Amino acid sequence: MFAPIPRVPWQLEELPFFDESHRELAQRIRTWSTGNERLLGHPMQGTDERAFALELLASLGKGGFLRYAVPHPRADGTMALDVRGLCVLREALAYDSFLADSFFVMQGLGTAPVWRHPDAALRDPLLDACREGRRIAALALTEPDAGSDLAQVATTARLEGDRYVLNGQKAWITNGGLADQYVVVARTGEAAGAKGLSAFLVPADAPGLSFSEPVELVAHHPIAHLTFENCTVPREALVGAAGTGFKAAMAAFDVFRPSVGAAALGAARRALAETVQRVKQRRMFGQFMSELGAVQAKVADMAADVDAAAMVVYRAAWIADVRGGRFTKEAAVAKLVATEYAQRVIDTAVQLFGALGVARGSKVEELYRDIRPTRIYEGASEVQRLVIARNVLA
């Protein structure tokens, strides 16, 4: 066995994109994390994962953090979304626990299409429950043959009288089997391709909805497949207008893609902190590793990658909050650069840790498994490059 390296607490780097509210938020989540280390660990084998998720979310809700994922409406009906605040929280949570970060952000992704719904009677009670951590949300987009190319969604929703009937499969759904409700994108056929997709709010106990056993990934992450077999929901379950499901999903991704980069940034910061501790303590060739030029060069590259990732993440978040309007290219750059650089930083950490870096139970081994999926979900790196290129060339 090996002695764990003492945890270096997360702290927010000083960047020109923040105002005082973000610095205060960073201090609050740092204090919360220090007092909730048990919730930042993974559930023990045999633990009821849904109960664990609700306990975590209730604590985050009580601390006022979930309102950054599930924003409150303003007086004019628009949602008071603070993308910089969302990114600060995801960076802080992922620094300690990708699982905690996943439960946190899915409250937002799993309700995002509902934010724009004009029917407050449908919207407000649901958002309040998710904002307070009383319900678990999920977003069901991906299918066995439709991942990054959502225009290929094949799940159908057919209007029959006053009800919609859903048929099809969704794959790799975060919180699958744990969530209380799912925002499901299905084909209603108003037009070909993406313009024929609509979003529906489907409760977990809807007749005809079933779940696979949990799917085990390289990282600890609650995920399952969903099957809709003549699954019926009331006509009012349609979120927004028919044919706008793809647009709602893409708008949500624009908001949340920089925050994927923020989560990756948090993991990279943790890997750098763990590495600095390690190389200062371990001796090699008669001196500490931190005194070796080759090690110093690697640490320098890690630090430069972390700084570069932070700049593109918070630039995109600042543009969203301050300039407004579409920021698709900047969001794609943030996700691409931060996740790719974080993978590189964590790989270097594993290399410098040696055998300990690939030993189950070490933090950098955990980070190595956690970081890999970030380059795939919410648009793989290859898709982000296409988005960026099309915007530059337009």
Side-chain angles (χ1 to χ4, degrees):
M1 294 298 293
F2 51 86
I5 294 175
R7 171 184 175 274
V8 176
W10 171 84
Q11 63 178 15
L12 185 67
E13 288 293 316
E14 185 57 62
L15 294 173
F17 305 111
F18 303 128
D19 58 33
E20 192 55 38
S21 69
H22 301 114
R23 300 182 187 95
E24 186 272 336
L25 176 64
Q27 185 56 51
R28 286 201 295 119
I29 191 62
R30 177 182 164 114
T31 300
W32 180 91
S33 297
T34 301
N36 287 277
E37 290 187 7
R38 181 181 62 82
L39 293 176
L40 294 173
H42 293 171
M44 300 295 290
Q45 188 172 9
T47 300
D48 182 335
E49 195 156 46
R50 175 175 159 81
F52 173 85
L54 286 170
E55 183 183 1
L56 170 70
L57 291 171
S59 182
L60 288 169
K62 184 177 180 181
F65 301 117
L66 286 178
R67 69 181 179 86
Y68 289 87
V70 188
H72 284 281
R74 299 186 180 94
D76 63 1
T78 61
M79 304 309 288
L81 184 64
D82 180 350
V83 181
R84 285 171 293 175
L86 174 68
C87 288
V88 166
L89 292 174
R90 291 202 69 183
E91 181 187 335
L93 289 170
Y95 183 92
D96 284 311
S97 168
F98 255 77
L99 182 62
D101 168 68
S102 174
F103 284 131
F104 166 78
V105 74
M106 283 312 303
Q107 294 298 92
L109 272 172
T111 57
V114 184
W115 300 344
R116 296 169 177 84
H117 198 289
D119 183 0
L122 169 67
R123 181 190 69 191
D124 293 347
L126 169 68
L127 296 186
D128 286 344
C130 291
R131 194 180 293 120
E132 295 165 9
R134 293 184 283 110
R135 292 177 68 85
I136 301 174
L139 179 65
L141 293 176
T142 306
E143 297 183 2
D145 296 315
S148 294
D149 184 5
L150 291 177
Q152 298 303 311
V153 162
T155 297
T156 60
R158 186 178 68 256
L159 183 62
E160 294 185 356
D162 62 351
R163 306 186 74 79
Y164 278 96
V165 181
L166 281 70
N167 282 282
Q169 290 185 313
K170 295 293 181 179
W172 316 111
I173 304 304
T174 297
N175 290 349
L178 298 182
D180 293 284
Q181 79 273 326
Y182 301 81
V183 169
V184 179
V185 173
R187 185 164 300 284
T188 44
E190 288 73 24
K195 294 182 179 180
L197 300 176
S198 302
F200 297 87
L201 187 62
V202 181
D205 59 358
L209 171 58
S210 61
F211 308 92
S212 73
E213 290 296 314
V215 179
E216 290 193 20
L217 302 183
V218 294
H220 189 105
H221 188 88
I223 204 163
H225 306 320
L226 280 58
T227 299
F228 300 87
E229 189 171 358
N230 292 325
C231 174
T232 58
V233 293
R235 188 169 188 162
E236 293 74 26
L238 177 67
V239 179
T244 63
F246 182 83
K247 182 178 179 181
M250 290 303 100
F253 284 156
D254 270 2
V255 168
F256 283 95
R257 272 179 180 152
S259 78
V260 178
L265 172 61
R269 285 202 196 281
R270 181 62 180 269
L272 178 57
E274 294 278 323
T275 300
V276 168
Q277 293 267 77
R278 173 72 169 170
V279 300
K280 284 184 174 181
Q281 294 171 2
R282 190 182 185 198
R283 297 185 67 86
M284 185 178 289
F285 304 118
Q287 57 189 318
F288 289 107
M289 286 182 67
S290 59
E291 297 172 326
L292 297 172
V295 172
Q296 292 176 356
K298 286 186 176 294
V299 171
D301 287 343
M302 293 170 75
D305 282 349
V306 168
D307 280 358
M311 291 299 287
V312 294
V313 165
Y314 288 111
R315 178 193 68 162
W318 180 89
I319 289 172
D321 288 340
V322 177
R323 192 186 71 184
R326 292 296 299 274
F327 62 109
T328 301
K329 187 200 80 171
E330 292 83 359
V333 169
K335 183 182 187 295
L336 173 67
V337 170
T339 58
E340 294 285 337
Y341 282 20
Q343 179 82 62
R344 191 160 67 190
V345 167
I346 293 168
D347 185 74
T348 301
V350 169
Q351 194 71 16
L352 290 175
F353 266 70
L356 182 55
V358 291
R360 283 277 182 169
S362 73
K363 185 62 183 180
V364 293
E365 184 271 340
E366 177 189 313
L367 290 169
Y368 193 73
R369 288 183 289 108
D370 282 335
I371 198 62
R372 188 60 184 85
T374 66
R375 294 166 57 205
I376 298 174
Y377 63 68
E378 290 187 44
S381 293
E382 292 75 14
V383 172
Q384 303 311 315
R385 290 185 173 97
L386 288 176
V387 171
I388 294 163
R390 287 170 180 172
N391 276 268
V392 171
L393 295 170

